[in-house]
Amino acid sequence: MTVNNSLEKSVSIIKGIGAETESILASMGIFTVQDLLEHFPYRYDDYRLKDLQDVGHEEKVTVEGKVQSEPSLVFYNRKRSRLTIHLLVGTNLIKVFFFNQPYIKKNLSISDTITVTGKWDRLRGAITAQQFKLGPYQQTTDFEPVYSVRGSLTVKALRKFIKLAFQLYENEIEENLPEFLINKYKLMPRKEAMKLMHFPIAQTDVKKARRRFVYEEFLYFQLKMQALRKFEREHSKGLSQQYDLKKLRQFNETLPFALTDAQKRVINEICADLKSPYRMNRLLQGDVGSGKTVVAAIALFASWSAGYQGALMVPTEILAEQHTASLQALLGGAGLRVELLTSSVKGKKRKELLGRLKNNEIDILVGTHALIQDDVHFSSLGLVITDEQHRFGVEQRRVLREKGITPDVLFMTATPIPRTLAITAFGEMDVSIIDEMPAGRKKIETYWVKHEMLEKVLGFVEKELVAGRQAYVICPLIEESEKLDVQNAIDVYQMLSDYFHGKFKVGLMHGRLHPEEKENVMQEFSDNSLQILVSTTVVEVGVNVPNATTMVIYDAERFGLSQLHQLRGRVGRGSEQSYCFLLANPKTEIGKERMKIMTETNDGFVLSEKDLELRGPGDFFGKKQSGLPEFKVADMVHDYRALETARSDANELINSEYFWKEQSYSPLRKYLQKSGVMEGEKLD
Ligand code: ADP
Ligand code: MG
């Protein structure tokens, strides 16, 4: 085996790449010949002749035609000019403009045949020439690769370097996928695919070559994730929680409803993890209202029956309080002691609580991130559940590890993370999905209305209030911001207080209120002493007031679809029909499309896939925290099928004993070694 082939050498061995180019390439992440060859075009210019009928407005096109008129030249000033000719292309007479190239005039005469490439203006029947050649079209390059470049490096130069690299080292390009996978998916060999990515002859070449690299990229990526998962499992001394199945069954009998099949399935998955000697690292996804809380309660009960304490971590104090109440209702009857710890629990009270926790006099502790602070010590923490905290992860796990405990961890989220993202962003986790709603849920009727229609909407809200129901009104920000021009929650609150004066009571909720104030407002809304709650997005997750049936969302176009869905999920929690009004005057087509989708579906997974499609993966989680992998060729959204295939192949490979021995897997093993996974190192 060649350990040190030319592909691993510096790009500077290629003729023409001097120190300056080398440093530009380095800034693009290209160091070796191999890197250079893996710098693929991001698009191809198409120089094939096409029938103008088939070319869209403003598309680039190459045509061959006969000059029909003397070129006419117009100068605007000394530098700027336009040369116009009439060209007969097939049976179409079109115009061709040459801007700022007056010298072309003397090369052209009537009835010359020329080949022109440029942008097709369908409406004017004209091409703005970008390239031009005397004589008929000659099929030399149909497709010209276009590469991303930087600084003084030109696409042309880069093309030359890549061509040179390819000519010299083509024979050293080795296959890096096992043969059986190449055969199974009829993939192009690496060398051939490489050639066609850079020098395609037909469109289908690129397609086939790309298909191979998409799979390769995904397989390698998934291999790393799966290996990480495997090593994390095998190197983590997790708990093997021997829960009491009989007690668990009895407990389930006491629930006020029958579990859905989906709930049963995920509970089984979680229980299997509890029992296994590995540490659970599982993501539980379920749409708003799919019943995750009861799943959490059952998991906590199971862990308790095995002799362990549990913790439930949530992002806000409001949620912490609600969850404490729900868990007390669900678990209190069975004798579990559920307590709340937030940053508002201070002084003596806190000390006393922590003392009981350490003495195992508390079974379940619910709270915000205060839960895993330095001075919080459990007597035997077995299970940590987090709700709606995408960011819980590395840091928190480190804190727990430093405390010397390795509880099982379950992450719950109602943000229906598209499967595509879940298996990449959370590729090292196991994923359980509740994909079924409890029976009898009504679809929330959703309407998109223009801001001018507010009066009508308020009339509707009033009818609901008269019928004894309650309503949410959501505003994006609490303060006037000229930049964003968004509605001010305080203004809306005042406006609605005036509007409903003497009839209904309006409350205001936002992130700047003191915790006690928030608690009071929530309590009043829960008790129906407030009928309308004007709020910023702090009510987004978890809040549960079943009597609220109407939601009005201001400036709805400013929210992501998934977030709108979360907000909307605050209504439709009782037996009454619920409604959601999206007040929005979106300016873009995408904006309109998004509002329309909201009115069409209540399915969070459909919405999240759409959101991903419309906004792209970077935006989905917010750029900073996305931490999503970047692929050279593959696209997570459009190639998600390949991603799933690669994931299951990677999983099979990692768990097969041949993988660790056979020669044909050595490129894969080498890659894992290089990325540090073999040492059990962490990706993050
Ligand atoms: P989420 O997944 O959004 O956290 P919750 O756990 O708050 O959902 O559940 C929403 C509502 O559905 C709660 O009132 C809960 O009691 C109820 N619920 C949960 N599971 C079932 C079920 N299997 N059948 C009927 N109602 C259920
Ligand atoms: Mg919930």
Side-chain angles (χ1 to χ4, degrees):
M1 220 193 111
T2 43
V3 178
N4 217 351
N5 69 16
S6 308
L7 298 182
E8 289 173 18
K9 291 189 180 147
S10 158
V11 281
S12 61
I13 64 170
I14 290 166
K15 211 175 132 215
I17 299 189
E20 193 194 334
T21 309
E22 192 183 349
S23 80
I24 294 176
L25 288 173
S27 77
M28 296 163 66
I30 300 172
F31 302 95
T32 63
V33 176
Q34 166 122 349
D35 295 338
L36 185 65
L37 288 174
E38 287 178 2
H39 186 65
F40 294 125
Y42 66 89
R43 70 177 162 86
Y44 302 84
D45 277 340
D46 182 349
Y47 290 106
R48 285 173 305 167
L49 285 183
K50 272 188 219 149
D51 193 332
L52 283 170
Q53 296 303 323
D54 303 332
V55 181
H57 184 55
E58 305 225 301
E59 261 177 38
K60 202 170 168 176
V61 64
T62 299
V63 294
E64 176 197 292
K66 249 193 166 106
V67 180
Q68 298 292 306
S69 63
E70 278 301 333
S72 74
L73 182 60
V74 184
F75 274 91
Y76 305 106
N77 54 37
R78 272 193 22 236
K79 282 193 183 140
R80 296 173 53 201
S81 67
R82 188 181 70 193
L83 182 71
T84 309
I85 56 167
H86 290 90
L87 194 69
L88 187 67
V89 179
T91 55
N92 291 321
L93 187 64
I94 65 164
K95 279 187 207 160
V96 179
F97 302 127
F98 297 87
F99 286 97
N100 311 323
Q101 295 157 283
Y103 48 85
I104 285 177
K105 183 172 177 190
K106 62 179 191 300
N107 298 331
L108 289 175
S109 328
I110 292 186
S111 77
D112 277 352
T113 296
I114 63 167
T115 306
V116 175
T117 301
K119 207 190 248 180
W120 173 231
D121 183 336
R122 209 186 163 104
L123 310 173
R124 295 163 76 187
I127 289 177
T128 302
Q130 290 162 347
Q131 282 187 38
F132 142 80
K133 200 166 55 86
L134 270 180
Y137 173 76
Q138 280 173 338
Q139 191 174 351
T140 44
T141 39
D142 275 356
F143 296 96
E144 205 147 46
V146 183
Y147 299 94
S148 62
V149 282
R150 266 193 207 170
S152 58
L153 181 65
T154 63
V155 175
K156 214 166 152 189
L158 194 58
R159 262 183 215 145
K160 198 182 77 195
F161 298 142
I162 290 174
K163 201 160 196 167
L164 218 53
F166 201 84
Q167 279 166 357
L168 289 171
Y169 307 116
E170 175 176 15
N171 290 328
E172 295 185 47
I173 298 171
E174 285 173 9
E175 185 51 65
N176 65 355
L177 289 176
E179 201 181 319
F180 87 95
L181 288 173
I182 296 212
N183 293 338
K184 184 170 170 191
Y185 301 119
K186 302 195 169 51
L187 298 174
M188 212 177 247
R190 193 162 212 269
K191 188 165 106 184
E192 195 185 334
M194 193 78 104
K195 185 172 189 169
L196 292 182
M197 284 299 279
H198 292 297
F199 323 108
I201 296 177
Q203 191 84 54
T204 48
D205 291 345
V206 178
K207 221 170 147 182
K208 276 193 243 159
R210 194 181 164 277
R211 187 168 157 269
R212 185 231 139 81
F213 283 112
V214 167
Y215 180 78
E216 177 191 312
E217 251 188 322
F218 281 155
L219 185 77
Y220 273 73
F221 171 72
Q222 284 296 342
L223 215 52
K224 192 156 81 175
M225 290 307 225
Q226 301 295 322
L228 192 68
R229 191 172 121 195
K230 186 179 160 75
F231 286 107
E232 262 223 5
R233 274 184 157 227
E234 291 175 358
H235 293 279
S236 71
K237 275 184 254 69
L239 305 167
S240 175
Q241 305 197 34
Q242 302 299 321
Y243 59 85
D244 187 329
L245 188 61
K246 208 170 126 208
K247 271 193 192 160
L248 196 59
R249 288 210 173 111
Q250 278 166 0
F251 173 69
N252 286 352
E253 293 293 310
T254 67
L255 295 172
F257 41 72
L259 295 171
T260 61
D261 287 343
Q263 283 171 322
K264 284 184 203 156
R265 193 186 62 239
V266 303
I267 288 165
N268 282 332
E269 288 164 356
I270 293 165
C271 282
D273 278 0
L274 289 177
K275 204 161 213 164
S276 93
Y278 304 126
R279 207 184 60 189
M280 169 160 68
N281 188 23
R282 184 172 286 278
L283 180 72
L284 172 62
Q285 288 184 257
D287 208 343
V288 179
S290 63
K292 291 183 295 299
T293 312
V294 70
V295 171
I298 292 169
L300 289 166
F301 183 93
S303 181
W304 171 79
S305 78
Y308 292 96
Q309 292 170 301
L312 177 61
M313 272 174 68
V314 297
T316 65
E317 303 211 348
I318 300 177
L319 260 185
E321 280 153 26
Q322 290 211 348
H323 271 304
T324 307
S326 314
L327 290 184
Q328 271 164 351
L330 284 163
L331 297 168
L336 280 73
R337 295 156 295 184
V338 182
E339 295 287 352
L340 171 70
L341 177 66
T342 64
S343 49
S344 326
V345 180
K346 291 191 187 108
K348 226 176 114 192
K349 222 173 141 194
R350 182 179 167 93
K351 220 172 145 193
E352 183 261 345
L353 195 88
L354 293 181
R356 283 169 54 214
L357 187 68
K358 208 170 168 182
N359 284 333
N360 208 4
E361 290 161 26
I362 292 174
D363 300 306
I364 311 291
L365 191 62
V366 182
T368 51
H369 54 267
L371 265 194
I372 55 159
Q373 277 164 4
D374 292 342
D375 61 335
V376 182
H377 296 284
F378 289 79
S379 118
S380 58
L381 181 60
L383 175 61
V384 176
I385 302 181
T386 74
D387 195 16
E388 295 305 343
Q389 287 196 303
H390 304 305
R391 268 165 292 181
F392 178 97
V394 187
E395 179 56 19
Q396 283 87 342
R397 273 191 269 169
R398 190 185 57 76
V399 174
L400 289 178
R401 216 181 304 130
E402 277 169 9
K403 287 185 183 186
I405 43 180
T406 53
D408 286 318
V409 182
L410 178 69
F411 304 85
M412 302 199 297
T413 179
T415 310
I417 302 162
R419 240 192 101 66
T420 32
L421 281 189
I423 67 178
T424 48
F426 303 103
E428 86 284 20
M429 283 193 202
D430 295 304
V431 179
S432 291
I433 301 179
I434 309 183
D435 51 6
E436 181 188 359
M437 286 290 185
R441 286 280 159 80
K442 290 199 180 79
K443 182 173 181 286
I444 300 164
E445 279 182 31
T446 303
Y447 303 95
W448 163 30
V449 291
K450 300 270 168 78
H451 281 279
E452 303 85 89
M453 302 279 284
L454 182 62
E455 282 280 337
K456 280 222 166 103
V457 173
L458 291 182
F460 185 95
V461 171
E462 185 161 2
K463 266 196 219 142
E464 283 291 296
L465 299 182
V466 169
R469 315 267 194 263
Q470 291 163 274
Y472 292 98
V473 177
I474 308 295
C475 311
L477 285 185
I478 60 154
E479 277 174 347
E480 193 96 49
S481 151
E482 280 173 14
K483 248 215 227 122
L484 290 172
D485 187 31
V486 290
Q487 206 67 38
N488 175 315
I490 296 163
D491 281 353
V492 173
Y493 164 74
Q494 258 142 21
M495 185 272 287
L496 291 177
S497 301
D498 290 346
Y499 187 94
F500 290 111
H501 183 75
K503 294 188 225 163
F504 299 106
K505 283 185 78 180
V506 186
L508 176 64
M509 173 74 142
H510 58 68
R512 301 229 173 136
L513 296 179
H514 290 295
E516 311 91 76
E517 289 176 295
K518 282 190 201 166
E519 199 179 318
N520 282 344
V521 174
M522 264 341 280
Q523 195 56 49
E524 284 176 350
F525 192 59
S526 284
D527 298 346
N528 200 1
S529 14
L530 293 173
Q531 287 74 49
I532 301 173
L533 186 65
V534 174
S535 174
T536 58
T537 55
V538 291
V539 299
E540 186 181 333
V541 283
V543 168
N544 190 19
V545 179
N547 190 46
T549 54
T550 310
M551 170 165 288
V552 180
I553 304 177
Y554 269 84
D555 296 329
E557 76 273 20
R558 294 201 185 284
F559 297 92
L561 292 182
S562 295
Q563 202 181 5
L564 285 175
H565 182 63
Q566 290 293 309
L567 287 166
R568 179 170 64 180
R570 298 310 106 216
V571 297
R573 309 198 130 233
S575 50
E576 303 297 330
Q577 177 61 50
S578 288
Y579 308 90
C580 177
F581 294 93
L582 306 171
L583 288 178
N585 296 19
K587 290 187 186 73
T588 64
E589 283 310 309
I590 288 185
K592 288 172 191 164
E593 169 87 347
R594 293 170 65 233
M595 292 304 105
K596 237 180 93 217
I597 296 164
M598 283 301 296
T599 64
E600 285 164 3
T601 181
N602 267 232
D603 184 326
F605 281 93
V606 171
L607 285 169
S608 72
E609 294 284 354
K610 275 279 172 204
D611 219 8
L612 182 61
E613 214 178 288
L614 295 174
R615 296 200 297 169
D619 275 2
F620 190 82
F621 284 130
K623 282 237 160 41
K624 271 235 176 77
Q625 49 163 311
S626 85
L628 294 173
E630 281 186 25
F631 298 105
K632 286 181 184 159
V633 184
D635 174 325
M636 281 197 299
V637 181
H638 295 105
D639 302 318
Y640 80 94
R641 268 179 223 283
L643 182 57
E644 299 208 350
T645 309
R647 177 179 158 92
S648 81
D649 290 340
N651 193 26
E652 236 169 79
L653 283 174
I654 287 287
N655 289 303
S656 110
E657 54 180 301
Y658 300 112
F659 181 76
W660 307 103
K661 295 184 208 144
E662 292 260 322
Q663 174 65 32
S664 67
Y665 297 126
S666 90
L668 301 177
R669 287 197 301 266
K670 232 169 82 187
Y671 168 77
L672 288 183
Q673 241 145 19
K674 244 169 79 184
S675 43
V677 179
M678 302 280 269
E679 282 78 47
E681 258 177 48
K682 307 254 316 151
L683 263 187
D684 40 53

